[in-house]
Amino acid sequence: MDTRRPFRTLALALGTAGLLVSGCSGGDSSSGTSSSADAASASPSAVPAALKSYYAQHLSWRDCGVSGFQCTTMKAPLDYAKPDGGDIKLAVSRKKATGPGKRIGSLLVNPGGPGGSAIGYLQGYAGIGYPAQVRARYDMVAVDPRGVARSEPVECLTGPQMDAYTQVDQTPDDDGEVTKLSDAFEKFASGCEKRSGEVLPHVSTVETARDMDVLRALLGDERLNYVGASYGTFLGATYAELFPGRTGRLVLDGAMDPSLSSVEMNRAQTAGFETAFQSFAQDCVKQADCPLGSTSASDAADRLKKLFAGLDENPIRTGESRELGESLATTGVIAAMYDESAWPQLRSALTGAESGDGAGLLALADSYYEREPSGKYTNLMFANAAVNCLDLPPAFTGPEAVEKALPSFEKASPVFGRGFAWAALNCGHWPVPATGTAHRIEAKGAAPIVVVGTTRDPATPYAWAESLADQLSSGTLLTYEGDGHTAYGRGSDCIDTAINTYLLEGTPPAAHKKCR
């Protein structure tokens, strides 16, 4: 799987992918669009008086045990509407520019999620795997967003509780199963409130974008240079909306559309995964080891649905205490849709499942959920729900609304639609009201922004990139005609050259440039 964590929602097992955003996008926040935010964005030098101590703090860098990287901690207001009401501590890491060439500044990176560790992404990939010429001239920097990983992480369930949660039937067949699913979402939400109640109202994308501006100032940069993937594109666009005068070179790869409601976004993402599965199926039936037949993508889809139905009735062994039922199997398949390089692994896992061995699909599901062999989970899925449910009002607030929407979801994806629709109920029980609303982001006055879209991206459909590039007053669309989630650093010289040129020279690609 792609090491960059894509946009997802905590939907029961469906998580990723599909899982659609149950609240993922958002924008306006009661604590993020105050008059002080407007004042802060008025000019690069303007900082509200109540925030000056945060913008003036000193960062004490230290070695953090990973060769070449330094770490520090910064403070931000827990609540920007009440800056004197206490702090939140945010973990930061950097790798200084290696040279040769004149240093341009800092390049902040975010892998998406929401809930993905930006520091983990920096130290495990971006700081060592981004093009050498980019790393030569930028300090590579990451901050774990509030509530994520090293930055006062949101916690919700224990490992055993998460194991049980991920196995709840996400395609309920009767009232009893509907109740169990709804109860699972409610128990998840109450666990978050119990363990992380203080931070839970303050992990919105708007607040994280404001944190990034504080960090920009502390790094000594007049403008923010940034590469965001998947959900990270919404974070970057939100920054540009709040601080257009401080926006530098922004790359938004695998773009989200902030103008969509939760229902619209969930349904569109459902269709995106159907597109990705059709691409996989068309390839699979040509392979000698395809477990879904050798005739057509339609036949492959029917066989996969039959496999899911069988696992719903009779889960299979995995070699450990957990069995593989429909929910975990679906998550495993979805996980492999993010990157076509995972297709051979998926074919092998499906072959195993057909013969009664669920270990392969379970491994894919575990990698998606970031479940360690010890049974411990990272906080990825907890932070994912916390941000999504705060950024947008819930797609559905009760089972009746899901039932009414089922036909449109199943039309969007005969394979995944039913499960994705029920998964979108996850924010219906959230203990904190949403503070964001769907709206267009124009970011008037911002420097040129490059928006990247992949034509068969499962998690962030290509139409979202087209829409965001159109919304942004300075947006330029760069298209990768291919499969997988996001495009930069995935093997296209055309894409990489265009983005590298923009980052190093400030020149965006030609309008509507297309790459393969």
Side-chain angles (χ1 to χ4, degrees):
M1 289 179 61
D2 189 349
T3 57
R4 288 161 289 190
R5 299 310 303 189
F7 162 56
R8 59 178 88 194
T9 82
L10 193 263
L12 231 272
L14 271 174
T16 252
L19 267 188
L20 307 202
V21 46
S22 98
C24 187
S25 177
D28 294 338
S29 170
S30 60
S31 62
T33 56
S34 64
S35 59
S36 62
D38 295 336
S41 64
S43 71
S45 60
V47 174
L51 299 178
K52 284 187 177 180
S53 63
Y54 293 101
Y55 277 83
Q57 65 187 291
H58 175 71
L59 297 180
S60 299
W61 294 97
R62 64 186 184 281
D63 179 81
C64 48
V66 180
S67 179
F69 292 89
Q70 296 175 307
C71 290
T72 191
T73 301
M74 61 173 277
K75 293 181 180 180
L78 176 64
D79 184 350
Y80 276 94
K82 301 176 181 178
D84 59 351
D87 301 333
I88 188 169
K89 295 180 180 179
L90 307 176
V92 183
S93 183
R94 74 175 177 186
K95 186 176 185 182
K96 301 193 74 172
T98 59
K102 183 179 179 181
R103 177 184 175 278
I104 296 172
S106 304
L107 182 64
L108 199 65
V109 296
N110 183 282
S117 171
I119 291 178
Y121 176 66
L122 174 73
Q123 296 178 353
Y125 174 68
I128 56 177
Y130 266 31
Q133 61 268 42
V134 173
R135 292 182 286 115
R137 300 187 61 196
Y138 281 100
D139 291 347
M140 301 293 295
V141 181
V143 54
D144 276 349
R146 49 177 61 206
V148 174
R150 300 165 178 83
S151 294
E152 302 197 18
V154 171
E155 298 293 345
C156 301
L157 301 178
T158 65
Q161 288 173 332
M162 268 299 286
D163 280 347
Y165 179 80
T166 60
Q167 295 178 74
V168 175
D169 190 345
Q170 60 200 6
T171 56
D173 301 312
D174 54 43
D175 290 345
E177 291 186 349
V178 169
T179 298
K180 288 181 180 179
L181 180 60
S182 183
D183 287 348
F185 286 138
E186 187 171 5
K187 182 176 180 180
F188 184 97
S190 63
C192 299
E193 183 178 31
K194 178 180 179 181
R195 294 174 171 84
S196 303
E198 182 179 8
V199 72
L200 218 55
H202 302 293
V203 294
S204 71
T205 296
V206 167
E207 289 162 308
T208 294
R210 299 193 67 182
D211 295 339
M212 293 193 334
D213 192 62
V214 175
L215 178 58
R216 171 204 58 77
L218 301 182
L219 294 170
D221 294 327
E222 290 189 2
R223 295 175 182 267
L224 180 80
N225 301 308
Y226 173 84
V227 177
S230 198
Y231 159 79
T233 67
F234 175 54
L235 179 57
T238 299
Y239 180 90
E241 179 181 40
L242 290 172
F243 307 104
R246 302 177 186 180
T247 297
R249 301 170 189 179
L250 263 61
V251 177
L252 308 181
D253 185 12
M256 287 177 55
D257 181 352
S259 71
L260 299 179
S261 69
S262 290
V263 173
E264 292 170 330
M265 193 171 293
N266 276 270
R267 191 160 41 223
Q269 200 178 42
T270 301
F273 274 90
E274 179 67 22
T275 297
F277 174 75
Q278 290 296 320
S279 187
F280 162 75
Q282 290 167 13
D283 177 78
C284 184
V285 297
K286 299 174 185 177
Q287 307 298 327
D289 63 342
C290 181
L292 300 179
S294 59
T295 55
S296 67
S298 177
D299 180 56
D302 289 340
R303 291 187 62 164
L304 182 61
K305 288 194 292 182
K306 184 178 179 180
L307 174 64
F308 286 161
L311 292 171
D312 188 25
E313 292 292 330
N314 298 294
I316 59 177
R317 59 183 174 81
T318 62
E320 58 171 272
S321 60
R322 291 177 297 155
E323 291 184 317
L324 183 83
E326 181 186 16
S327 293
L328 286 171
T330 302
T331 303
V333 172
I334 287 171
M337 294 297 100
Y338 281 92
D339 191 336
E340 64 271 27
S341 69
W343 291 357
Q345 182 182 358
L346 177 58
R347 293 198 303 271
S348 176
L350 289 171
T351 297
E354 289 275 14
S355 63
D357 181 2
L361 284 176
L362 182 64
L364 282 168
D366 283 352
S367 68
Y368 173 75
Y369 282 123
E370 293 193 355
R371 182 189 189 273
E372 299 171 3
S374 65
K376 178 180 173 58
Y377 290 75
T378 71
N379 97 306
L380 171 67
M381 301 309 293
F382 309 143
N384 179 268
V387 176
N388 284 343
C389 296
L390 200 58
D391 275 352
L392 278 184
F396 306 118
T397 55
E400 298 80 8
V402 179
E403 293 281 3
K404 288 184 65 175
L406 279 175
S408 65
F409 275 76
E410 291 180 310
K411 181 179 179 180
S413 174
V415 177
F416 304 115
R418 185 174 180 82
F420 281 18
W422 282 106
L425 182 59
N426 71 314
C427 287
H429 295 284
W430 205 247
V432 182
T435 56
T437 58
H439 67 286
R440 291 173 58 86
I441 291 182
E442 298 181 5
K444 292 180 180 179
I449 297 172
V450 175
V451 179
V452 188
T454 298
T455 54
R456 294 186 294 278
D457 189 317
T460 51
Y462 179 66
W464 292 1
E466 292 180 301
S467 179
L468 181 60
D470 180 66
Q471 291 172 46
L472 291 167
S473 62
S474 60
T476 296
L477 179 64
L478 175 62
T479 299
Y480 173 57
E481 297 179 329
D483 296 292
H485 183 46
T486 72
Y488 187 41
R490 287 171 46 85
S492 170
D493 289 339
C494 176
I495 289 289
D496 292 353
T497 297
I499 292 177
N500 294 343
T501 298
Y502 169 67
L503 290 175
L504 296 173
E505 301 175 12
T507 305
H512 304 292
K513 180 178 178 62
K514 296 184 177 181
C515 296
R516 293 181 181 273

